[in-house]
Amino acid sequence: MLQIWGKTPLKGHVTISGAKNSALVLLAGSLLCSGSCRLRNVPSLVDVSLICEILVALGVKVARQGDALVLDASDLTSSKAPYELVSQLRASFFVTGPLLARLGVARVPLPGGCSIGDRPVDLHVKGLQALGADVQIEHGMVNAYIRGGRKRLTGARIYLDFPSVGATENIMMAATLAEGETLIENAAQEPEVVDLANFCRAMGARIRGDGTNRIVIDGVPALHEADYMVVPDRIEAGTFLIAGAITRSEIMLSPVVPDHLTAVIAKLKESGISVVSDAPNQLRVIPASSYRGTDIETLPFPGFPTDMQAPFMSLLTVAEGNSMISETLFENRLQHVAELNRMGADIKLKGNIAVVRGVPKLSGAPVLATDLRASAALVVAGLAAEGMTTIQGLHHLDRGYEHLEDKLRGLGAKLQRVHESTALSAPGNSEETVPSPLAECASENTPSDPLSALI
Ligand code: EPZ
């Protein structure tokens, strides 16, 4: 578990890692290439190592070179993704489109729901069917074949009932090797979709309109080798902006693409917290002695990102006045409310709406992380709280934040990861024994590089 001693001002610069939600789909996209691709700035995360294991199971040779991964998909040996791996990572469903386009068949376990919602894949399936695939779902398996024994999918006009990120990405990848033109209407506009389109173009794909709600793909017979750099993680960057604001600290972060955070920065400004950009790929949060509540509604990009909802809620728990937060994308993404209330917040829940009444302070408490972004919300709340907060359920955090504790310690935060057994038994291990941020905290189990085991 993580022990955090709050009320410590932060200062300095933090380096933002490559984007998890881009790296995952780009790694799946490497299946489209009939040669070898090099992806740089790939974060070392549990989710990344899981999708790499799936690629290896399909016959991709994966090698690490520093922060880059070299993926050789020239000789795929299987079209079936292993259940035991796919069941741990929803994003692994992204291999369906590339496998189908490359091999004419894909057999991928249906990704179950997760703690934030049911998360069906009906839009993915409808899109692949429109491109000429026969898709059967039996015994928890999605079996997709190109109809009529054809070698390639066929371009089509596809309207998405909802601008799903995953469905847009899966369909776009499949369409790169289809015959003819594909038009995706009501497409997702997230920066990760654009990053994927850039990677596919680097491999020779013909795509335009990504970043808008109409994406056009002209299929090509094959894609070639490419060397590509994953975009910085806008959600990790947003989380650090919140860490600075909630501790009334001035911190700088880079690399970051400010345009990827427009909605988050606008809401911070609405609360009275300034964020400036002194250089093209850099942001600085300017501390405010006090700030006010604001209302948030999560929406597809360029709306306010659902992945920032939980950390932003932590910030609003100690704002002056009330805030109303509506989570419109996932039906079960407010589980952090109960844990924040354990820390002294005053939040009332009504369906998918949380009404946050600002309180003067939070106080440290033992809390449980229920999903990835909820764990980030508890970390930033712990940084602002009086006394010690202990967070359990860190496997959620390790899925999506690279070296978070080291980065926070680099900014002066006082925290350490300890094994529950030692935390509970260590004599005098209470509030007083605050580790100095510089001391090499006897952090046990700080996650090593999850990829090292694989490669
Ligand atoms: C991506 O998930 C991200 N994950 C999520 O980040 C993020 O929250 C989400 O986009 C929205 O921005 C990755 O990129 C790996 P969606 P995805 O398809 O693609 C419904 C994090 O914390 N839907 O846009 O699964 C769905 O149930 C994660 O890093 C269907 O109904 O999101 C949801 O309500 C969590 N049918 C909504 O659309 C479908 O076929 C948005 O889902 C697909 C989706």
Side-chain angles (χ1 to χ4, degrees), residues 90 99 106 235 418 432 439:
R90 284 191 46 75
L99 273 179
I235 306 300
V418 295
E432 291 80 45

Side-chain angles (χ1 to χ4, degrees), residues 46-47 50 53 83-92 399:
V46 172
D47 280 9
L50 271 171
E53 283 186 63
Y83 173 78
E84 63 282 3
L85 295 172
V86 171
S87 59
Q88 298 174 53
L89 176 67
R90 284 191 46 75
S92 47
R399 292 191 37 226

Side-chain angles (χ1 to χ4, degrees), residues 20-21 24 90-91 94 116 119-124 162-166 190 306-307 329-330 333 372-373:
K20 168 186 82 84
N21 288 344
L24 292 176
R90 284 191 46 75
F94 293 154
I116 65 175
R119 306 185 71 177
V121 292
D122 56 318
L123 300 175
H124 300 237
F162 183 87
S164 151
V165 175
E190 270 69 4
T306 171
D307 298 348
L329 266 89
F330 294 104
R333 200 171 207 180
L372 168 58
R373 306 305 171 181

Side-chain angles (χ1 to χ4, degrees), residues 112-119 330-333:
C114 80
S115 54
I116 65 175
D118 287 351
R119 306 185 71 177
F330 294 104
E331 64 274 22
N332 192 24
R333 200 171 207 180

Side-chain angles (χ1 to χ4, degrees), residues 97-309:
L99 273 179
L100 187 58
R102 190 70 201 282
L103 302 177
V105 54
R107 294 173 294 150
V108 181
L110 204 54
C114 80
S115 54
I116 65 175
D118 287 351
R119 306 185 71 177
V121 292
D122 56 318
L123 300 175
H124 300 237
V125 170
K126 264 168 77 178
L128 297 176
Q129 286 170 328
L131 290 172
D134 177 350
V135 184
Q136 306 295 334
I137 301 180
E138 283 151 348
H139 313 301
M141 272 304 268
V142 175
N143 298 308
Y145 305 89
I146 300 185
R147 267 198 301 274
R150 297 168 65 89
K151 284 248 165 301
R152 295 173 65 190
L153 293 165
T154 310
R157 184 175 181 147
I158 299 166
Y159 173 81
L160 290 178
D161 298 339
F162 183 87
S164 151
V165 175
T168 301
E169 293 170 335
N170 229 335
I171 296 164
M172 186 168 77
M173 289 189 283
T176 57
L177 295 176
E179 279 183 86
E181 179 184 281
T182 295
L183 168 61
I184 307 176
E185 291 176 293
N186 196 25
Q189 304 174 44
E190 270 69 4
E192 295 77 23
V193 172
V194 175
D195 206 32
L196 175 63
N198 286 336
F199 173 49
C200 290
R201 277 189 287 265
M203 294 192 287
R206 295 170 52 200
I207 303 175
R208 55 192 193 278
D210 45 296
T212 75
N213 61 4
R214 281 169 63 86
I215 301 177
V216 180
I217 306 109
D218 290 310
V220 295
L223 295 179
H224 54 68
E225 304 196 343
D227 184 326
Y228 190 79
M229 175 100 139
V230 175
V231 78
D233 195 316
R234 63 189 169 107
I235 306 300
E236 183 197 13
T239 306
F240 276 103
L241 288 177
I242 302 284
I246 202 170
T247 55
R248 316 278 200 270
S249 312
E250 176 164 344
I251 62 171
M252 267 181 300
L253 36 117
S254 68
V256 62
V257 182
D259 288 351
H260 292 175
L261 285 155
T262 306
V264 175
I265 294 170
K267 283 293 168 185
L268 284 170
K269 286 201 170 134
E270 245 176 52
S271 299
I273 296 157
S274 300
V275 177
V276 295
S277 187
D278 309 309
N281 69 346
Q282 185 245 34
L283 285 175
R284 181 163 53 92
V285 57
I286 300 176
S289 55
S290 69
Y291 50 87
R292 51 187 176 274
T294 184
D295 295 345
I296 287 175
E297 180 181 25
T298 64
L299 290 166
F301 193 90
F304 187 93
T306 171
D307 298 348
M308 282 302 302
Q309 175 258 102

